[in-house]
Amino acid sequence: MTVQIKITNGTYRNQPVEGLFELAKEWKLGVNGGFVTVVNDGSIEGAGDKARVKVAQDDFEMFGELAGEYHAPKGKDKVVEEFEETDEEIINRFEKTFSFVDTMTAAAQDGKILGLVISGPAGIGKSYGVEKTLEKKNMMRVIRQEPEHYELVTGGTSAPGLYKKLYENKKAGQVLVFDDCDSAFWDELQLNMLKAAMDTKPKRRICWMKDRVFKDEGGDPIPTSFVYEGSIIFLTNTKFDHCRSAKIAGHLEAIMSRVHYMDLRIDSLREKLLRVKHVVGAGMLNKHNLTEAQKQDVVDYVYENVDYLHELSLRTVLKVADLAMIASTKGAWAEIADETLLSKNGLIRKTIAKRELAAA
């Protein structure tokens, strides 16, 4: 997930700007005041694909994490800030962390853990282990042709939708997995329902006090309150313990106090690259029927072009591997990869770098 910025009082060439945008460059203080660069969704007249919007620091809020970056909280112990891990230590950490994800997911299915939040950047495999573990735990139910005791919700939710999903999965042993639903953090109704559902109280009662009446899949009315006994796993790109928005920071702290919180600690560009190396070594490309030399070519391409890619994620690695299957040599498929995986600016910068190297 890219960083989103909500501007409440900004201007572009003296025209007012407000709304939710994708952040292109972080806030900076210039000669004439502070500004941010956002991706223009068409609502900023006279601007191109991107717009530099003048805005004070108090007039915007951000959520999400910049890909490949992590802004450490100020005032932390210098010893912690200067701590460094070797590549081997980082990969070993990945092994342990993702094994813990499997363990905690299984515990949620067994009803031993009622709330689990897993935080990490997009495209590094947060959902893979969770889904595989739940599939394994529900294998016998599938064989018996019984409904699975988990449901995956992706792509965002609404307050009414969240209430219905909680009701449909309210029984002990049922698991609701929310993936790519960070927009719920900006809806107070959804936040309050999530806090109630993941509370540590013996009885977690969920209420809907609006006028709207819901019906279940059988057409029967859904009550305006019910006891929720299921478990929730929330996969997020947001760092709950390092939220930049004062508006939701308190809510996220409240959720953290109720759940088991796992930060996958894949924050830097180096850690993302090592994650790529880790998952390829663990067999992610086995289905592509590539030789070991070809797999290494795939990893090498990602490493060599990391500064030019649209994004660095495991999905990018899979795309490169797809291309490696359609051409016999790296030289042949790498040209296609350049056209499909590099950003426009990245392709230009790579061309310039090649010219400089040839001229040297």
Side-chain angles (χ1 to χ4, degrees):
M1 173 183 172
T2 54
V3 173
Q4 303 291 311
I5 181 167
K6 186 177 182 181
I7 299 174
T8 55
N9 184 22
T11 58
Y12 175 79
R13 295 182 178 176
N14 296 321
Q15 66 171 299
V17 175
E18 62 179 30
L20 189 65
F21 301 90
E22 180 181 332
L23 183 68
K25 292 183 181 179
E26 289 189 275
W27 187 87
K28 291 184 179 180
L29 182 61
V31 177
N32 297 316
F35 63 90
V36 294
T37 304
V38 301
V39 176
N40 184 16
D41 59 4
S43 63
I44 305 177
E45 296 183 6
D49 294 337
K50 297 179 181 178
R52 181 182 288 186
V53 179
K54 291 181 64 176
V55 61
Q57 276 189 298
D58 294 336
D59 292 329
F60 70 86
E61 296 172 327
M62 294 193 298
F63 61 98
E65 287 294 331
L66 288 172
E69 292 188 15
Y70 172 64
H71 301 273
K74 296 180 180 179
K76 293 296 183 181
D77 189 348
K78 186 176 180 180
V79 174
V80 175
E81 293 176 355
E82 294 180 350
F83 174 73
E84 291 186 8
E85 294 174 285
T86 65
D87 289 359
E88 184 180 2
E89 287 173 333
I90 292 175
I91 290 177
N92 288 339
R93 167 160 61 83
F94 291 161
E95 291 279 359
K96 287 184 179 180
T97 299
F98 282 90
S99 71
F100 295 157
V101 168
D102 296 344
T103 300
M104 299 289 273
T105 300
Q109 182 75 87
D110 294 336
K112 297 175 181 177
I113 289 178
L114 303 180
L116 172 63
V117 172
I118 302 173
S119 172
I124 49 84
K126 293 192 299 294
S127 61
Y128 179 81
V130 170
E131 290 186 59
K132 287 299 179 183
T133 299
L134 291 174
E135 287 175 5
K136 184 176 180 181
K137 295 286 288 185
N138 283 268
M139 188 178 299
M140 293 307 300
R141 298 188 66 84
V142 173
I143 292 174
R144 294 193 299 264
Q145 297 185 330
E146 297 174 353
E148 294 175 310
H149 269 191
Y150 76 94
E151 183 173 355
L152 180 65
V153 180
T154 62
T157 61
S158 64
L162 176 59
Y163 186 80
K164 290 182 69 175
K165 286 301 177 186
L166 289 171
Y167 180 78
E168 291 167 0
N169 296 272
K170 65 182 183 297
K171 296 179 181 178
Q174 290 185 296
V175 180
L176 258 178
V177 182
F178 294 96
D179 188 13
D180 199 20
C181 295
D182 285 18
S183 59
F185 301 149
W186 298 89
D187 182 336
E188 193 164 355
L189 281 175
Q190 293 188 70
L191 270 171
N192 287 332
M193 273 191 277
L194 286 171
K195 285 192 289 186
M198 294 188 283
D199 209 336
T200 54
K201 295 178 181 178
K203 282 192 176 182
R204 293 168 288 158
R205 183 166 292 279
I206 313 297
C207 301
W208 181 263
M209 305 308 293
K210 301 288 184 178
D211 294 334
R212 183 173 177 179
V213 177
F214 303 116
K215 293 184 178 181
D216 61 22
E217 293 182 354
D220 297 323
I222 294 176
T224 56
S225 69
F226 62 91
V227 174
Y228 179 73
E229 298 178 320
S231 298
I232 290 177
I233 299 176
F234 207 105
L235 309 175
T236 176
N237 303 323
T238 301
K239 287 184 175 290
F240 279 34
D241 55 348
H242 182 46
C243 178
R244 295 170 175 147
S245 170
K247 181 176 180 179
I248 66 170
H251 290 290
L252 299 186
E253 287 178 5
I255 292 176
M256 277 188 68
S257 71
R258 290 163 163 79
V259 303
H260 294 271
Y261 177 76
M262 294 185 67
D263 183 349
L264 298 181
R265 293 186 292 155
I266 304 177
D267 304 307
S268 68
L269 191 60
R270 176 190 174 210
E271 286 168 325
K272 283 192 171 186
L273 286 170
L274 288 172
R275 174 64 175 156
V276 167
K277 185 177 180 180
H278 171 233
V279 296
V280 171
M284 186 180 75
L285 302 184
N286 287 351
K287 292 183 180 180
H288 283 73
N289 295 320
L290 300 174
T291 66
E292 291 304 314
Q294 288 174 315
K295 291 178 185 177
Q296 187 59 51
D297 284 342
V298 169
V299 174
D300 289 344
Y301 178 87
V302 173
Y303 270 63
E304 292 162 3
N305 293 277
V306 65
D307 292 328
Y308 312 128
L309 294 168
H310 278 294
E311 67 164 354
L312 174 60
S313 72
L314 300 186
R315 290 186 288 268
T316 304
V317 181
L318 292 172
K319 291 176 185 178
V320 177
D322 290 343
L323 297 177
M325 291 193 300
I326 67 175
S328 58
T329 65
K330 180 181 178 182
W333 59 256
E335 290 186 4
I336 305 175
D338 285 354
E339 291 295 328
T340 59
L341 298 176
L342 305 190
S343 66
K344 177 182 177 180
N345 288 342
L347 192 55
I348 293 172
R349 287 188 286 110
K350 183 173 181 177
T351 301
I352 293 171
K354 284 182 177 180
R355 289 177 180 176
E356 292 176 345
L357 184 62

